Amino acid sequence: RSPTQQAATCMPSATRPAVAGLRNWGTPTMTLLLLLGGSAAFNTPPPLRPPLRSSLLAMQVQQIPSPAELRAAVTASACEGGISVVLFGSKQCAACRALLPRTRRLAAARRDVRFFSLESSKATAEAFQYHEITAVPTFLVLDASGAILETRAGLALAEWPAFRSHVEALADSCDAWAA
C-alpha cells in the first residue's frame, strides 16, 4: 500500500478529502490546515444566502421591458382599482439607483398601490416618448382608469419624503372614493 492509500483508509469518510486532494496530503500547507483546523478544514459552511426580505421587496416593483407590456400592466391594474406608480429611470442614473430601494420599501408598505419601473433603452424608447419623459428619474402616478394624476420629473432624494406622502395620500383618497 502506498502512503496515500493508508492515509485515505485511516480517515473517516465524512472528513476524507477528494481523491485529487490526496496528492497534496504531505504539503506544508495541508499539514498546517490539519493541525490548526483538524477535520473542520474540509467542512466549510455553505455561503450565506441573501435575506428573503430583499427578494420579496424586489418582487413588489415590477420591471417592465417594453411599452406594450406597460400598457397591459396598467390596464390590468386598472381593473383592480387603486393607483399605479411608474418609475422611468436609467441604469446610469445615480438618483434612479438610489430611489429604487426606497420605491421598493414603499411598495412593500402599500400593497394597494401597484409599482412598475421602466429602464431607458432602445426597446423602451417608445414608452418614454409617448409619456414625454425627458428627464430621469420620472415618476408617473396613474389612477384606476389610467389617467395621469401626478408627474414628477427629475425627482431628487431630498424630495422623496414629500413624494412618498403624496402617493400615500392619493392612495388613501382613491380607497375612500372607491368605498
Side-chain angles (χ1 to χ4, degrees), residues 99-117:
L99 286 170
L100 190 57
R102 289 167 173 80
T103 307
R104 287 180 178 150
R105 285 193 294 272
L106 179 59
R110 295 299 304 235
R111 296 194 182 249
D112 56 331
V113 179
R114 269 117 8 245
F115 289 85
F116 306 102
S117 74

Side-chain angles (χ1 to χ4, degrees), residues 28-168:
T29 305
M30 189 58 89
T31 305
L32 185 61
L33 279 174
L34 288 173
L35 288 174
L36 293 177
S39 63
F42 298 105
N43 299 330
T44 57
L48 296 176
R49 291 183 179 174
L52 181 60
R53 184 170 181 264
S54 65
S55 61
L56 290 175
L57 289 177
M59 294 187 316
Q60 299 296 324
V61 179
Q62 183 180 354
Q63 188 152 6
I64 305 291
S66 71
E69 289 186 38
L70 176 63
R71 283 191 292 274
V74 170
T75 302
S77 65
C79 296
E80 300 170 11
I83 65 171
S84 300
V85 177
V86 183
L87 166 61
F88 290 86
S90 171
K91 286 182 181 178
Q92 292 81 18
C93 169
C96 301
R97 291 191 311 265
L99 286 170
L100 190 57
R102 289 167 173 80
T103 307
R104 287 180 178 150
R105 285 193 294 272
L106 179 59
R110 295 299 304 235
R111 296 194 182 249
D112 56 331
V113 179
R114 269 117 8 245
F115 289 85
F116 306 102
S117 74
L118 237 75
E119 286 187 2
S120 178
S121 69
K122 288 181 182 179
T124 60
E126 181 186 330
F128 275 70
Q129 186 176 18
Y130 177 79
H131 290 289
E132 299 174 358
I133 306 300
T134 57
V136 291
T138 295
F139 283 91
L140 289 183
V141 182
L142 309 166
D143 68 0
S145 66
I148 296 174
L149 297 174
E150 176 86 25
T151 301
R152 291 279 179 101
L155 187 73
L157 285 176
E159 300 167 342
W160 174 255
F163 177 71
R164 177 188 173 127
S165 299
H166 187 67
V167 167
E168 288 177 335

